[in-house]
Amino acid sequence: VVSFLLESEVVIMKKRVAAYCRISSNSKEQQTSGNAQVKYYSNLFHNNDNYIIVWIFYDVGSGLKTKNRKNYLKLKNIIENNG
């Protein structure tokens, strides 16, 4: 959180936040895990007034290779280009 003084008022700039969740397959157990991951980050972000949620990214795929994880690559691109 960044704050600064502007005409005798404190202005608080909220952090833009995103999360990345991944499961390795579409099995029922993995889907339950994926839903729990998304719920965790949703609650964490919504319960913090200093955060602005940009997105929660989610993929189903291998933890070893990133080339087929479309949302991981999208998040990485956003971070690299918008820092």
Side-chain angles (χ1 to χ4, degrees):
V1 175
V2 177
S3 21
F4 56 91
L5 203 55
L6 179 68
E7 296 181 22
S8 302
E9 293 182 19
V10 175
V11 176
I12 298 176
M13 296 183 65
K14 296 181 178 187
K15 285 185 181 181
R16 294 174 28 209
V17 295
Y20 177 73
C21 305
R22 183 194 60 81
I23 58 174
S24 56
S25 72
N26 271 324
S27 71
K28 186 173 183 172
E29 294 82 12
Q30 288 288 301
Q31 288 178 0
T32 300
S33 172
N35 291 339
Q37 292 175 50
V38 171
K39 184 177 180 179
Y40 170 80
Y41 285 109
S42 293
N43 289 335
L44 179 69
F45 295 162
H46 283 293
N47 290 324
N48 189 325
D49 292 336
N50 295 319
Y51 290 163
I52 296 172
I53 301 172
V54 175
W55 200 261
I56 297 179
F57 296 88
Y58 186 91
D59 278 322
V60 177
S62 167
L64 300 176
K65 297 182 181 178
T66 61
K67 70 178 182 176
N68 294 323
R69 289 196 261 150
K70 184 173 77 171
N71 286 313
Y72 169 80
L73 296 172
K74 183 187 257 185
L75 174 60
K76 183 179 177 210
N77 183 52
I78 290 169
I79 292 168
E80 291 173 348
N81 294 308
N82 298 314

